[in-house]
Amino acid sequence: MPVKVLDFWASPFGVRVRVALAEKGVSYESQEEDLFGGKSDLLLQSNPIYEKVPVLLHDDKPVLESSNIVYYIDETWPSPKLLPASSYDRSRARFWTDFIDKKVYDAGRNIWMGKGAEVEAAKDEFIDVLKKLEGALGNREYYGGDQFGFLDIIFVSLSCWFPTYEKYGGFKVEEETPKIAAWLKKCYKRETVAKSMPDSQKVIEFVGMMRKMHGIE
Amino acid sequence: MATSGVKLYGGRPSPYVNRVVMALEMKSVDYELVEMNPYEKSELLIKINPIHKKIPVLVHGDRPICESLIIVQYIDDAWTNGPSILPTDPYDRATARFWAAFIDDNFFPLLREMREAEEEAKRLVFEKVLEAFALLEEAFITISKGKAFFGGDTVGYLDIALGSFVGYLRLSEMLNANYKILDETKTPLLAEWAERLYSDSLVKDAMLDPQKLLESLTKFQAMPKTDSN
């Protein structure tokens, strides 16, 4: 059954789907959406409520929302297992996935969209979010324990925007949350992650363009 | 696996706590409801839910689980007796998760906005609530495939996610007949579905009674915004 992904090169949420499919060894067709020039009919039909990427189409049936897509990928292609084995550990993975979804991107966005004093406040909030996630990692190799897993995919994908937040927020992830920086280095060594991430310099340029569009610079 | 003590922390009138109650009832789990006021950030609440400091929290043995829908999924995972709460097919599961998130991210915030709005703004928000509810009616048609519940013949994840709010939808109408959300002329299938929940053997004892909610609401009227999740 064919697999197609509606994606956008800079989308950290798209990265989640790329990494998950790569981890499972699933081949798929990727369709790049032009989010500024005009979204495709397929995107608008597949995701009429939110009109967002990524969308996974499995045998033409759409699966929406990146975390939801990763759960779907894990359940549909069983090997290797991305979610942990025990019910409790799974609930922890779901909890932190929910936390990351609610907090990280928006806190980061407040940094690069912020003006004047807003930037400092946004930076503090972002660092606070990272510190909580660093606490969740504890002394484990990965969020998944000994193995790279579900929660690692959910979080590492957002890191392609970290250099952007560091630039506009005036901080360094390595200084604020060294354990997270170390975990990131480990994840980037993984081929599935390295080949799925957009170039962080290009992301910075892209955000620079968006700031101009929003009249911030 | 499921022999350790189960405690549910939260207030009985909370629709989020109610989701957990519905799931526990479905699985016939013995549990203790520990009434907890979410507006008083007690030491205990901070201990069991340090990140969000909200109710409900389920503590199974000595392990806390937070966020109502995550708790419901945990209950489905941990207790394999009784009916399955989530569907078994991965695509159906993805659909159920998507609409549960819609309920939490779109529908409920609109309900809250409507409750807090001044009279002139209320009508506009009410229209948005009806639009969202119309989407849920369409979803019900597709997902139920002609059966009684979102879950098919038996109550399932989405029935719990939305069913927990039915008491409040009825309360809204009781307080002001102009704000009827469960309207059989607009969303006939959901109006029937809501009625069905109150007589379903698995969840009827868990469903919130609008009269009792009115009594609790009067008590909580002076409180700041809802702090449950």
Side-chain angles (χ1 to χ4, degrees):
Chain A
M1 289 199 289
V3 180
K4 188 169 180 168
V5 179
L6 306 181
D7 205 345
F8 179 68
W9 69 272
S11 166
F13 305 103
V15 172
R16 288 172 169 177
V17 180
R18 294 171 220 164
V19 176
L21 288 169
E23 288 285 323
K24 300 282 189 175
V26 175
S27 6
Y28 63 98
E29 183 200 332
S30 179
Q31 176 171 306
E32 180 73 6
E33 287 289 329
D34 182 358
L35 299 182
F36 300 95
K39 294 171 181 175
S40 72
D41 284 341
L42 183 57
L43 174 57
L44 298 175
Q45 280 156 28
S46 308
N47 194 353
I49 297 178
Y50 302 115
E51 297 180 355
K52 282 182 174 176
V53 292
V55 174
L56 180 105
L57 289 145
H58 192 195
D59 204 27
D60 298 329
K61 295 199 298 187
V63 184
L64 312 173
E65 300 293 288
S66 61
S67 303
N68 203 18
I69 297 172
V70 181
Y71 285 120
Y72 175 81
I73 291 169
D74 198 30
E75 289 165 13
T76 303
W77 291 278
S79 181
K81 267 256 144 272
L82 300 175
L83 271 174
S86 86
S87 324
Y88 184 67
D89 289 339
R90 278 201 291 277
S91 77
R92 297 300 292 157
R94 290 184 186 121
F95 175 86
W96 286 107
T97 294
D98 180 63
F99 177 85
I100 289 164
D101 280 351
K102 286 190 170 106
K103 304 277 186 186
V104 178
Y105 186 77
D106 284 353
R109 190 168 182 267
N110 290 338
I111 296 174
W112 63 262
M113 285 271 277
K115 292 175 183 160
E118 290 169 357
V119 180
E120 186 71 24
K123 178 201 85 174
D124 289 341
E125 213 215 304
F126 184 80
I127 290 169
D128 182 65
V129 167
L130 280 193
K131 288 204 156 106
K132 288 183 166 125
L133 285 163
E134 193 177 52
L137 181 60
N139 291 319
R140 296 184 192 85
E141 281 293 294
Y142 296 101
Y143 282 93
D146 294 326
Q147 306 277 8
F148 180 84
F150 189 93
L151 193 52
D152 299 281
I153 295 177
I154 294 298
F155 190 21
V156 76
S157 55
L158 301 183
S159 68
C160 58
W161 282 55
F162 286 4
T164 303
Y165 307 147
E166 286 172 323
K167 175 187 163 110
Y168 292 111
F171 68 98
K172 286 257 163 249
V173 171
E174 190 151 34
E175 283 161 24
E176 302 290 341
T177 48
K179 279 189 185 166
I180 288 194
W183 162 78
L184 283 172
K185 277 204 183 85
K186 233 182 292 180
C187 292
Y188 295 156
K189 287 200 181 112
R190 235 176 145 75
E191 204 209 317
T192 56
V193 174
K195 73 175 186 182
S196 302
M197 300 280 247
D199 179 276
S200 50
Q201 188 52 43
K202 290 210 174 86
V203 173
I204 292 176
E205 285 161 22
F206 171 71
V207 174
M209 178 205 80
M210 293 234 276
R211 279 163 59 97
K212 285 199 178 81
M213 263 172 62
H214 288 274
I216 302 165
E217 61 181 52
Chain B
M1 176 164 56
T3 50
S4 330
V6 179
K7 285 190 174 156
L8 171 59
Y9 291 89
R12 190 66 185 87
S14 158
Y16 298 105
V17 170
N18 196 39
R19 286 171 167 174
V20 182
V21 170
M22 288 171 86
L24 290 167
E25 292 285 319
M26 276 185 76
K27 298 284 195 176
S28 309
V29 176
D30 275 325
Y31 69 97
E32 185 193 339
L33 177 68
V34 181
E35 287 281 346
M36 190 175 251
N37 185 342
Y39 305 119
E40 292 166 11
K41 307 292 178 190
S42 65
E43 261 182 58
L44 178 57
L45 179 58
I46 294 170
K47 182 174 160 216
I48 56 180
N49 192 353
I51 298 292
H52 298 304
K53 305 179 186 70
K54 288 178 175 181
I55 52 107
V57 181
L58 189 81
V59 179
H60 187 192
D62 57 359
R63 294 171 143 175
I65 301 113
C66 309
E67 299 294 290
S68 62
L69 292 177
I70 291 172
I71 299 172
V72 170
Q73 289 178 69
Y74 172 79
I75 290 167
D76 200 30
D77 263 354
W79 282 273
T80 48
N81 59 297
S84 226
I85 295 176
L86 271 122
T88 38
D89 173 75
Y91 192 76
D92 293 339
R93 289 165 71 93
T95 305
R97 284 192 302 259
F98 174 82
W99 286 104
F102 176 84
I103 289 162
D104 273 359
D105 300 338
N106 287 48
F107 185 62
F108 185 63
L110 283 172
L111 282 181
R112 183 160 51 190
E113 203 188 318
M114 188 178 124
R115 192 184 80 218
E116 293 170 356
E118 294 298 321
E119 205 48 52
E120 319 93 65
K122 233 182 186 48
R123 183 118 287 263
L124 283 167
V125 187
F126 177 62
E127 292 304 316
K128 284 198 231 164
V129 169
L130 290 183
E131 275 169 32
F133 209 60
L135 286 172
L136 287 166
E137 171 92 352
E138 273 174 44
F140 182 79
I141 294 169
T142 315
I143 296 166
S144 67
K145 299 183 182 90
K147 297 201 169 165
F149 301 106
F150 283 98
D153 291 318
T154 332
V155 169
Y157 188 67
L158 276 178
D159 301 285
I160 291 177
L162 186 59
S164 58
F165 286 96
V166 165
Y168 280 94
L169 299 182
R170 290 189 161 184
L171 177 64
S172 163
E173 187 184 324
M174 265 170 66
L175 294 174
N176 188 337
N178 288 325
Y179 297 121
K180 186 172 182 170
I181 297 161
L182 282 163
D183 189 337
E184 59 280 351
T185 64
K186 297 193 174 114
T187 51
L189 293 177
L190 284 180
E192 276 170 25
W193 161 85
E195 193 59 50
R196 225 173 273 138
L197 290 172
Y198 283 91
S199 53
D200 177 71
S201 56
L202 285 172
V203 296
K204 62 182 166 68
D205 295 333
M207 291 297 289
L208 291 174
D209 175 356
Q211 196 56 53
K212 292 212 175 87
L213 285 179
L214 183 58
E215 289 159 22
S216 311
L217 203 70
T218 319
K219 259 195 269 173
F220 282 111
Q221 211 102 47
M223 296 290 191
K225 65 176 164 62
T226 314
D227 238 0
S228 34
N229 210 348

